mmCIF file of all heavy atoms in Angstrom:
data_model
loop_
_atom_site.group_PDB
_atom_site.id
_atom_site.type_symbol
_atom_site.label_atom_id
_atom_site.label_comp_id
_atom_site.label_asym_id
_atom_site.label_seq_id
_atom_site.Cartn_x
_atom_site.Cartn_y
_atom_site.Cartn_z
ATOM 1 N N MET A 1 0.837 -1.184 0.000
ATOM 2 C CA MET A 1 0.000 0.000 0.000
ATOM 3 C C MET A 1 0.878 1.243 0.000
ATOM 4 O O MET A 1 1.909 1.280 0.651
ATOM 5 C CB MET A 1 -0.897 0.035 1.229
ATOM 6 C CG MET A 1 -1.964 -1.028 1.268
ATOM 7 S SD MET A 1 -2.971 -0.930 2.759
ATOM 8 C CE MET A 1 -4.203 0.223 2.245
ATOM 9 N N SER A 2 0.411 2.233 -0.689
ATOM 10 C CA SER A 2 1.154 3.484 -0.712
ATOM 11 C C SER A 2 0.669 4.385 0.422
ATOM 12 O O SER A 2 -0.375 4.143 1.035
ATOM 13 C CB SER A 2 0.967 4.182 -2.058
ATOM 14 O OG SER A 2 -0.381 4.571 -2.211
ATOM 15 N N LEU A 3 1.408 5.414 0.701
ATOM 16 C CA LEU A 3 1.078 6.326 1.787
ATOM 17 C C LEU A 3 -0.281 7.008 1.586
ATOM 18 O O LEU A 3 -1.086 7.056 2.523
ATOM 19 C CB LEU A 3 2.199 7.356 1.960
ATOM 20 C CG LEU A 3 2.041 8.314 3.131
ATOM 21 C CD1 LEU A 3 1.956 7.548 4.442
ATOM 22 C CD2 LEU A 3 3.176 9.300 3.156
ATOM 23 N N PRO A 4 -0.599 7.548 0.384
ATOM 24 C CA PRO A 4 -1.925 8.170 0.223
ATOM 25 C C PRO A 4 -3.089 7.194 0.400
ATOM 26 O O PRO A 4 -4.120 7.547 0.972
ATOM 27 C CB PRO A 4 -1.896 8.715 -1.201
ATOM 28 C CG PRO A 4 -0.458 8.874 -1.523
ATOM 29 C CD PRO A 4 0.237 7.781 -0.786
ATOM 30 N N THR A 5 -2.919 5.968 -0.066
ATOM 31 C CA THR A 5 -3.973 4.969 0.093
ATOM 32 C C THR A 5 -4.169 4.628 1.563
ATOM 33 O O THR A 5 -5.301 4.534 2.053
ATOM 34 C CB THR A 5 -3.627 3.698 -0.692
ATOM 35 O OG1 THR A 5 -3.363 4.036 -2.043
ATOM 36 C CG2 THR A 5 -4.745 2.682 -0.624
ATOM 37 N N THR A 6 -3.073 4.466 2.268
ATOM 38 C CA THR A 6 -3.143 4.159 3.691
ATOM 39 C C THR A 6 -3.776 5.311 4.455
ATOM 40 O O THR A 6 -4.621 5.094 5.331
ATOM 41 C CB THR A 6 -1.735 3.882 4.244
ATOM 42 O OG1 THR A 6 -1.143 2.839 3.486
ATOM 43 C CG2 THR A 6 -1.788 3.488 5.702
ATOM 44 N N ALA A 7 -3.403 6.542 4.118
ATOM 45 C CA ALA A 7 -3.955 7.706 4.796
ATOM 46 C C ALA A 7 -5.462 7.815 4.575
ATOM 47 O O ALA A 7 -6.217 8.084 5.511
ATOM 48 C CB ALA A 7 -3.255 8.973 4.325
ATOM 49 N N SER A 8 -5.906 7.595 3.338
ATOM 50 C CA SER A 8 -7.349 7.695 3.081
ATOM 51 C C SER A 8 -8.111 6.581 3.787
ATOM 52 O O SER A 8 -9.229 6.789 4.265
ATOM 53 C CB SER A 8 -7.629 7.673 1.584
ATOM 54 O OG SER A 8 -7.337 6.408 1.042
ATOM 55 N N THR A 9 -7.508 5.407 3.889
ATOM 56 C CA THR A 9 -8.149 4.301 4.611
ATOM 57 C C THR A 9 -8.272 4.632 6.093
ATOM 58 O O THR A 9 -9.320 4.386 6.706
ATOM 59 C CB THR A 9 -7.334 3.010 4.432
ATOM 60 O OG1 THR A 9 -7.204 2.732 3.047
ATOM 61 C CG2 THR A 9 -8.001 1.843 5.126
ATOM 62 N N LEU A 10 -7.228 5.210 6.668
ATOM 63 C CA LEU A 10 -7.270 5.574 8.084
ATOM 64 C C LEU A 10 -8.277 6.690 8.353
ATOM 65 O O LEU A 10 -8.962 6.691 9.380
ATOM 66 C CB LEU A 10 -5.883 5.974 8.569
ATOM 67 C CG LEU A 10 -4.881 4.829 8.688
ATOM 68 C CD1 LEU A 10 -3.509 5.367 9.045
ATOM 69 C CD2 LEU A 10 -5.340 3.802 9.696
ATOM 70 N N VAL A 11 -8.400 7.632 7.443
ATOM 71 C CA VAL A 11 -9.378 8.710 7.602
ATOM 72 C C VAL A 11 -10.788 8.151 7.546
ATOM 73 O O VAL A 11 -11.649 8.516 8.351
ATOM 74 C CB VAL A 11 -9.171 9.802 6.527
ATOM 75 C CG1 VAL A 11 -10.339 10.758 6.492
ATOM 76 C CG2 VAL A 11 -7.878 10.553 6.783
ATOM 77 N N THR A 12 -11.028 7.243 6.617
ATOM 78 C CA THR A 12 -12.345 6.609 6.531
ATOM 79 C C THR A 12 -12.661 5.837 7.799
ATOM 80 O O THR A 12 -13.784 5.893 8.322
ATOM 81 C CB THR A 12 -12.399 5.653 5.319
ATOM 82 O OG1 THR A 12 -12.085 6.382 4.139
ATOM 83 C CG2 THR A 12 -13.766 5.017 5.181
ATOM 84 N N LEU A 13 -11.682 5.136 8.323
ATOM 85 C CA LEU A 13 -11.865 4.381 9.552
ATOM 86 C C LEU A 13 -12.141 5.311 10.730
ATOM 87 O O LEU A 13 -13.013 5.045 11.560
ATOM 88 C CB LEU A 13 -10.629 3.516 9.820
ATOM 89 C CG LEU A 13 -10.677 2.606 11.035
ATOM 90 C CD1 LEU A 13 -11.774 1.570 10.868
ATOM 91 C CD2 LEU A 13 -9.343 1.938 11.234
ATOM 92 N N ALA A 14 -11.426 6.421 10.805
ATOM 93 C CA ALA A 14 -11.597 7.370 11.903
ATOM 94 C C ALA A 14 -12.954 8.057 11.847
ATOM 95 O O ALA A 14 -13.525 8.419 12.879
ATOM 96 C CB ALA A 14 -10.482 8.408 11.879
ATOM 97 N N GLU A 15 -13.499 8.224 10.650
ATOM 98 C CA GLU A 15 -14.797 8.883 10.514
ATOM 99 C C GLU A 15 -15.954 7.944 10.795
ATOM 100 O O GLU A 15 -17.092 8.359 10.818
ATOM 101 C CB GLU A 15 -14.942 9.454 9.101
ATOM 102 C CG GLU A 15 -14.070 10.650 8.850
ATOM 103 C CD GLU A 15 -14.155 11.130 7.411
ATOM 104 O OE1 GLU A 15 -14.676 10.373 6.567
ATOM 105 O OE2 GLU A 15 -13.702 12.251 7.153
ATOM 106 N N GLY A 16 -15.697 6.699 11.005
ATOM 107 C CA GLY A 16 -16.759 5.773 11.337
ATOM 108 C C GLY A 16 -16.837 4.603 10.404
ATOM 109 O O GLY A 16 -17.623 3.693 10.620
ATOM 110 N N GLY A 17 -16.087 4.612 9.357
ATOM 111 C CA GLY A 17 -16.080 3.490 8.438
ATOM 112 C C GLY A 17 -17.350 3.394 7.622
ATOM 113 O O GLY A 17 -18.224 4.246 7.674
ATOM 114 N N GLU A 18 -17.438 2.334 6.852
ATOM 115 C CA GLU A 18 -18.583 2.164 5.976
ATOM 116 C C GLU A 18 -19.768 1.546 6.697
ATOM 117 O O GLU A 18 -20.904 1.944 6.506
ATOM 118 C CB GLU A 18 -18.186 1.290 4.779
ATOM 119 C CG GLU A 18 -17.128 1.929 3.908
ATOM 120 C CD GLU A 18 -16.582 0.969 2.870
ATOM 121 O OE1 GLU A 18 -16.975 -0.209 2.888
ATOM 122 O OE2 GLU A 18 -15.765 1.411 2.058
ATOM 123 N N GLY A 19 -19.528 0.567 7.545
ATOM 124 C CA GLY A 19 -20.630 -0.123 8.199
ATOM 125 C C GLY A 19 -20.608 0.032 9.700
ATOM 126 O O GLY A 19 -21.032 -0.856 10.428
ATOM 127 N N ALA A 20 -20.107 1.150 10.179
ATOM 128 C CA ALA A 20 -19.974 1.342 11.618
ATOM 129 C C ALA A 20 -21.345 1.520 12.263
ATOM 130 O O ALA A 20 -22.204 2.212 11.735
ATOM 131 C CB ALA A 20 -19.109 2.556 11.916
ATOM 132 N N VAL A 21 -21.523 0.867 13.383
ATOM 133 C CA VAL A 21 -22.768 0.977 14.125
ATOM 134 C C VAL A 21 -22.441 1.650 15.443
ATOM 135 O O VAL A 21 -21.613 1.190 16.210
ATOM 136 C CB VAL A 21 -23.376 -0.418 14.391
ATOM 137 C CG1 VAL A 21 -24.623 -0.299 15.252
ATOM 138 C CG2 VAL A 21 -23.665 -1.117 13.081
ATOM 139 N N ARG A 22 -23.096 2.776 15.689
ATOM 140 C CA ARG A 22 -22.895 3.481 16.954
ATOM 141 C C ARG A 22 -24.120 3.296 17.824
ATOM 142 O O ARG A 22 -25.233 3.519 17.388
ATOM 143 C CB ARG A 22 -22.660 4.968 16.713
ATOM 144 C CG ARG A 22 -21.322 5.244 16.074
ATOM 145 C CD ARG A 22 -20.994 6.693 16.128
ATOM 146 N NE ARG A 22 -21.314 7.270 17.415
ATOM 147 C CZ ARG A 22 -20.441 7.852 18.205
ATOM 148 N NH1 ARG A 22 -19.195 7.932 17.838
ATOM 149 N NH2 ARG A 22 -20.798 8.375 19.355
ATOM 150 N N HIS A 23 -23.901 2.889 19.042
ATOM 151 C CA HIS A 23 -25.004 2.703 19.970
ATOM 152 C C HIS A 23 -25.185 3.979 20.772
ATOM 153 O O HIS A 23 -24.248 4.483 21.391
ATOM 154 C CB HIS A 23 -24.725 1.532 20.907
ATOM 155 C CG HIS A 23 -24.623 0.222 20.180
ATOM 156 N ND1 HIS A 23 -25.722 -0.459 19.754
ATOM 157 C CD2 HIS A 23 -23.554 -0.505 19.788
ATOM 158 C CE1 HIS A 23 -25.348 -1.558 19.138
ATOM 159 N NE2 HIS A 23 -24.031 -1.609 19.144
ATOM 160 N N ALA A 24 -26.388 4.497 20.771
ATOM 161 C CA ALA A 24 -26.673 5.733 21.497
ATOM 162 C C ALA A 24 -26.540 5.537 22.999
ATOM 163 O O ALA A 24 -26.326 6.497 23.733
ATOM 164 C CB ALA A 24 -28.069 6.229 21.150
ATOM 165 N N SER A 25 -26.656 4.302 23.467
ATOM 166 C CA SER A 25 -26.590 4.055 24.901
ATOM 167 C C SER A 25 -25.161 4.112 25.442
ATOM 168 O O SER A 25 -24.970 4.167 26.646
ATOM 169 C CB SER A 25 -27.203 2.693 25.224
ATOM 170 O OG SER A 25 -26.447 1.678 24.611
ATOM 171 N N LEU A 26 -24.158 4.076 24.568
ATOM 172 C CA LEU A 26 -22.768 4.129 25.024
ATOM 173 C C LEU A 26 -22.293 5.578 25.063
ATOM 174 O O LEU A 26 -21.797 6.113 24.092
ATOM 175 C CB LEU A 26 -21.872 3.305 24.101
ATOM 176 C CG LEU A 26 -22.082 1.800 24.128
ATOM 177 C CD1 LEU A 26 -21.170 1.132 23.125
ATOM 178 C CD2 LEU A 26 -21.830 1.250 25.509
ATOM 179 N N SER A 27 -22.465 6.201 26.189
ATOM 180 C CA SER A 27 -22.033 7.578 26.366
ATOM 181 C C SER A 27 -20.532 7.601 26.647
ATOM 182 O O SER A 27 -20.060 6.903 27.554
ATOM 183 C CB SER A 27 -22.779 8.213 27.536
ATOM 184 O OG SER A 27 -22.212 9.453 27.864
ATOM 185 N N PRO A 28 -19.773 8.377 25.892
ATOM 186 C CA PRO A 28 -18.326 8.426 26.129
ATOM 187 C C PRO A 28 -17.971 8.905 27.535
ATOM 188 O O PRO A 28 -17.008 8.424 28.125
ATOM 189 C CB PRO A 28 -17.813 9.411 25.079
ATOM 190 C CG PRO A 28 -18.867 9.476 24.049
ATOM 191 C CD PRO A 28 -20.160 9.175 24.740
ATOM 192 N N ILE A 29 -18.759 9.806 28.078
ATOM 193 C CA ILE A 29 -18.482 10.298 29.432
ATOM 194 C C ILE A 29 -18.709 9.192 30.452
ATOM 195 O O ILE A 29 -17.916 9.008 31.385
ATOM 196 C CB ILE A 29 -19.356 11.532 29.743
ATOM 197 C CG1 ILE A 29 -18.946 12.688 28.827
ATOM 198 C CG2 ILE A 29 -19.263 11.924 31.200
ATOM 199 C CD1 ILE A 29 -19.805 13.905 28.938
ATOM 200 N N LEU A 30 -19.786 8.424 30.282
ATOM 201 C CA LEU A 30 -20.073 7.334 31.206
ATOM 202 C C LEU A 30 -19.007 6.249 31.120
ATOM 203 O O LEU A 30 -18.532 5.747 32.148
ATOM 204 C CB LEU A 30 -21.448 6.740 30.907
ATOM 205 C CG LEU A 30 -21.877 5.570 31.772
ATOM 206 C CD1 LEU A 30 -21.985 6.000 33.229
ATOM 207 C CD2 LEU A 30 -23.180 5.001 31.281
ATOM 208 N N VAL A 31 -18.605 5.895 29.925
ATOM 209 C CA VAL A 31 -17.576 4.872 29.742
ATOM 210 C C VAL A 31 -16.258 5.338 30.355
ATOM 211 O O VAL A 31 -15.572 4.584 31.051
ATOM 212 C CB VAL A 31 -17.404 4.528 28.249
ATOM 213 C CG1 VAL A 31 -16.199 3.631 28.027
ATOM 214 C CG2 VAL A 31 -18.661 3.877 27.706
ATOM 215 N N GLY A 32 -15.898 6.588 30.129
ATOM 216 C CA GLY A 32 -14.668 7.128 30.706
ATOM 217 C C GLY A 32 -14.712 7.172 32.221
ATOM 218 O O GLY A 32 -13.725 6.852 32.891
ATOM 219 N N ALA A 33 -15.867 7.563 32.766
ATOM 220 C CA ALA A 33 -16.008 7.627 34.222
ATOM 221 C C ALA A 33 -15.914 6.232 34.840
ATOM 222 O O ALA A 33 -15.279 6.052 35.889
ATOM 223 C CB ALA A 33 -17.325 8.287 34.594
ATOM 224 N N LEU A 34 -16.530 5.247 34.195
ATOM 225 C CA LEU A 34 -16.448 3.885 34.710
ATOM 226 C C LEU A 34 -15.029 3.323 34.606
ATOM 227 O O LEU A 34 -14.571 2.612 35.508
ATOM 228 C CB LEU A 34 -17.432 2.979 33.967
ATOM 229 C CG LEU A 34 -18.905 3.216 34.289
ATOM 230 C CD1 LEU A 34 -19.790 2.353 33.396
ATOM 231 C CD2 LEU A 34 -19.192 2.950 35.751
ATOM 232 N N ALA A 35 -14.342 3.649 33.527
ATOM 233 C CA ALA A 35 -12.955 3.200 33.384
ATOM 234 C C ALA A 35 -12.077 3.833 34.461
ATOM 235 O O ALA A 35 -11.233 3.157 35.067
ATOM 236 C CB ALA A 35 -12.434 3.534 31.993
ATOM 237 N N LEU A 36 -12.262 5.124 34.708
ATOM 238 C CA LEU A 36 -11.500 5.805 35.751
ATOM 239 C C LEU A 36 -11.793 5.209 37.121
ATOM 240 O O LEU A 36 -10.876 4.971 37.918
ATOM 241 C CB LEU A 36 -11.801 7.305 35.741
ATOM 242 C CG LEU A 36 -11.103 8.138 36.799
ATOM 243 C CD1 LEU A 36 -9.592 8.090 36.611
ATOM 244 C CD2 LEU A 36 -11.601 9.563 36.780
ATOM 245 N N ALA A 37 -13.056 4.955 37.403
ATOM 246 C CA ALA A 37 -13.424 4.366 38.691
ATOM 247 C C ALA A 37 -12.805 2.980 38.853
ATOM 248 O O ALA A 37 -12.308 2.640 39.933
ATOM 249 C CB ALA A 37 -14.943 4.292 38.804
ATOM 250 N N GLY A 38 -12.810 2.194 37.781
ATOM 251 C CA GLY A 38 -12.194 0.873 37.847
ATOM 252 C C GLY A 38 -10.703 0.942 38.091
ATOM 253 O O GLY A 38 -10.156 0.173 38.883
ATOM 254 N N LEU A 39 -10.031 1.863 37.405
ATOM 255 C CA LEU A 39 -8.584 2.004 37.604
ATOM 256 C C LEU A 39 -8.254 2.506 39.002
ATOM 257 O O LEU A 39 -7.274 2.056 39.622
ATOM 258 C CB LEU A 39 -8.005 2.944 36.547
ATOM 259 C CG LEU A 39 -7.956 2.375 35.137
ATOM 260 C CD1 LEU A 39 -7.547 3.464 34.149
ATOM 261 C CD2 LEU A 39 -7.008 1.203 35.059
ATOM 262 N N LEU A 40 -9.057 3.425 39.522
ATOM 263 C CA LEU A 40 -8.827 3.897 40.887
ATOM 264 C C LEU A 40 -9.065 2.786 41.910
ATOM 265 O O LEU A 40 -8.338 2.689 42.901
ATOM 266 C CB LEU A 40 -9.721 5.102 41.190
ATOM 267 C CG LEU A 40 -9.325 6.398 40.485
ATOM 268 C CD1 LEU A 40 -10.362 7.477 40.752
ATOM 269 C CD2 LEU A 40 -7.948 6.865 40.927
ATOM 270 N N LEU A 41 -10.052 1.939 41.659
ATOM 271 C CA LEU A 41 -10.290 0.799 42.543
ATOM 272 C C LEU A 41 -9.104 -0.157 42.517
ATOM 273 O O LEU A 41 -8.642 -0.626 43.567
ATOM 274 C CB LEU A 41 -11.569 0.073 42.133
ATOM 275 C CG LEU A 41 -11.901 -1.184 42.931
ATOM 276 C CD1 LEU A 41 -12.211 -0.834 44.379
ATOM 277 C CD2 LEU A 41 -13.060 -1.921 42.292
ATOM 278 N N LEU A 42 -8.586 -0.450 41.327
ATOM 279 C CA LEU A 42 -7.413 -1.313 41.231
ATOM 280 C C LEU A 42 -6.195 -0.695 41.916
ATOM 281 O O LEU A 42 -5.414 -1.396 42.567
ATOM 282 C CB LEU A 42 -7.100 -1.616 39.765
ATOM 283 C CG LEU A 42 -8.077 -2.548 39.058
ATOM 284 C CD1 LEU A 42 -7.725 -2.632 37.574
ATOM 285 C CD2 LEU A 42 -8.045 -3.916 39.693
ATOM 286 N N LEU A 43 -6.030 0.609 41.802
ATOM 287 C CA LEU A 43 -4.928 1.292 42.481
ATOM 288 C C LEU A 43 -5.080 1.186 43.983
ATOM 289 O O LEU A 43 -4.110 0.921 44.702
ATOM 290 C CB LEU A 43 -4.878 2.760 42.048
ATOM 291 C CG LEU A 43 -3.794 3.611 42.684
ATOM 292 C CD1 LEU A 43 -2.411 3.120 42.279
ATOM 293 C CD2 LEU A 43 -3.969 5.072 42.295
ATOM 294 N N TRP A 44 -6.292 1.365 44.481
ATOM 295 C CA TRP A 44 -6.536 1.274 45.918
ATOM 296 C C TRP A 44 -6.255 -0.141 46.427
ATOM 297 O O TRP A 44 -5.615 -0.324 47.460
ATOM 298 C CB TRP A 44 -7.983 1.673 46.227
ATOM 299 C CG TRP A 44 -8.296 1.646 47.680
ATOM 300 C CD1 TRP A 44 -7.965 2.577 48.613
ATOM 301 C CD2 TRP A 44 -8.974 0.591 48.374
ATOM 302 N NE1 TRP A 44 -8.419 2.175 49.847
ATOM 303 C CE2 TRP A 44 -9.034 0.966 49.733
ATOM 304 C CE3 TRP A 44 -9.534 -0.610 47.973
ATOM 305 C CZ2 TRP A 44 -9.638 0.173 50.688
ATOM 306 C CZ3 TRP A 44 -10.137 -1.409 48.929
ATOM 307 C CH2 TRP A 44 -10.187 -1.017 50.277
ATOM 308 N N ILE A 45 -6.717 -1.153 45.696
ATOM 309 C CA ILE A 45 -6.465 -2.544 46.091
ATOM 310 C C ILE A 45 -4.973 -2.838 46.096
ATOM 311 O O ILE A 45 -4.450 -3.466 47.022
ATOM 312 C CB ILE A 45 -7.215 -3.510 45.143
ATOM 313 C CG1 ILE A 45 -8.718 -3.403 45.373
ATOM 314 C CG2 ILE A 45 -6.740 -4.941 45.344
ATOM 315 C CD1 ILE A 45 -9.546 -4.133 44.341
ATOM 316 N N THR A 46 -4.263 -2.364 45.075
ATOM 317 C CA THR A 46 -2.827 -2.605 44.985
ATOM 318 C C THR A 46 -2.084 -1.967 46.154
ATOM 319 O O THR A 46 -1.191 -2.578 46.745
ATOM 320 C CB THR A 46 -2.274 -2.044 43.656
ATOM 321 O OG1 THR A 46 -2.970 -2.678 42.582
ATOM 322 C CG2 THR A 46 -0.783 -2.300 43.530
ATOM 323 N N THR A 47 -2.468 -0.755 46.514
ATOM 324 C CA THR A 47 -1.773 -0.083 47.630
ATOM 325 C C THR A 47 -2.100 -0.744 48.951
ATOM 326 O O THR A 47 -1.291 -0.701 49.887
ATOM 327 C CB THR A 47 -2.121 1.414 47.678
ATOM 328 O OG1 THR A 47 -3.541 1.571 47.767
ATOM 329 C CG2 THR A 47 -1.594 2.122 46.442
ATOM 330 N N ARG A 48 -3.276 -1.359 49.101
ATOM 331 C CA ARG A 48 -3.604 -2.053 50.354
ATOM 332 C C ARG A 48 -2.729 -3.292 50.515
ATOM 333 O O ARG A 48 -2.328 -3.624 51.628
ATOM 334 C CB ARG A 48 -5.074 -2.496 50.387
ATOM 335 C CG ARG A 48 -6.111 -1.403 50.375
ATOM 336 C CD ARG A 48 -5.937 -0.443 51.515
ATOM 337 N NE ARG A 48 -5.485 0.829 50.921
ATOM 338 C CZ ARG A 48 -4.910 1.811 51.561
ATOM 339 N NH1 ARG A 48 -4.683 1.731 52.836
ATOM 340 N NH2 ARG A 48 -4.541 2.901 50.947
ATOM 341 N N PHE A 49 -2.434 -3.995 49.424
ATOM 342 C CA PHE A 49 -1.620 -5.214 49.507
ATOM 343 C C PHE A 49 -0.128 -4.905 49.524
ATOM 344 O O PHE A 49 0.663 -5.791 49.777
ATOM 345 C CB PHE A 49 -1.917 -6.148 48.312
ATOM 346 C CG PHE A 49 -3.189 -6.905 48.478
ATOM 347 C CD1 PHE A 49 -4.261 -6.660 47.651
ATOM 348 C CD2 PHE A 49 -3.315 -7.881 49.469
ATOM 349 C CE1 PHE A 49 -5.443 -7.366 47.790
ATOM 350 C CE2 PHE A 49 -4.495 -8.590 49.619
ATOM 351 C CZ PHE A 49 -5.558 -8.329 48.764
ATOM 352 N N ASN A 50 0.257 -3.681 49.269
ATOM 353 C CA ASN A 50 1.666 -3.351 49.115
ATOM 354 C C ASN A 50 2.187 -2.502 50.274
ATOM 355 O O ASN A 50 3.129 -1.754 50.146
ATOM 356 C CB ASN A 50 1.885 -2.597 47.786
ATOM 357 C CG ASN A 50 3.325 -2.624 47.367
ATOM 358 O OD1 ASN A 50 4.076 -3.479 47.777
ATOM 359 N ND2 ASN A 50 3.706 -1.657 46.548
ATOM 360 N N ARG A 51 1.563 -2.624 51.431
ATOM 361 C CA ARG A 51 2.033 -1.847 52.584
ATOM 362 C C ARG A 51 3.319 -2.442 53.144
ATOM 363 O O ARG A 51 3.531 -3.655 53.128
ATOM 364 C CB ARG A 51 0.977 -1.859 53.681
ATOM 365 C CG ARG A 51 -0.210 -1.009 53.358
ATOM 366 C CD ARG A 51 -1.096 -0.941 54.573
ATOM 367 N NE ARG A 51 -2.198 -0.017 54.319
ATOM 368 C CZ ARG A 51 -3.164 0.188 55.153
ATOM 369 N NH1 ARG A 51 -3.207 -0.438 56.298
ATOM 370 N NH2 ARG A 51 -4.116 1.037 54.849
ATOM 371 N N ASP A 52 4.146 -1.575 53.669
ATOM 372 C CA ASP A 52 5.367 -2.048 54.341
ATOM 373 C C ASP A 52 4.957 -2.632 55.694
ATOM 374 O O ASP A 52 4.219 -2.040 56.447
ATOM 375 C CB ASP A 52 6.340 -0.901 54.562
ATOM 376 C CG ASP A 52 6.957 -0.435 53.242
ATOM 377 O OD1 ASP A 52 7.049 -1.259 52.318
ATOM 378 O OD2 ASP A 52 7.340 0.725 53.179
ATOM 379 N N ARG A 53 5.479 -3.791 55.964
ATOM 380 C CA ARG A 53 5.099 -4.470 57.213
ATOM 381 C C ARG A 53 6.133 -4.269 58.279
ATOM 382 O O ARG A 53 7.242 -4.220 58.216
ATOM 383 C CB ARG A 53 4.888 -5.941 56.951
ATOM 384 C CG ARG A 53 3.697 -6.133 56.036
ATOM 385 C CD ARG A 53 3.424 -7.624 55.800
ATOM 386 N NE ARG A 53 2.268 -7.728 54.960
ATOM 387 C CZ ARG A 53 2.325 -8.003 53.670
ATOM 388 N NH1 ARG A 53 3.474 -8.211 53.095
ATOM 389 N NH2 ARG A 53 1.230 -8.078 52.975
#
């Protein structure tokens, strides 16, 4: 593949592609907030097990 072909393919993919299905129920803010909460929970669990004894 040449660079222009690859670039146009990536732009099409970034814009949603040809058959992309977007679910209205997946709010980016909600997904991000849940991911952050999960990572903070994992951080808290890790620090509880990693205390100096």
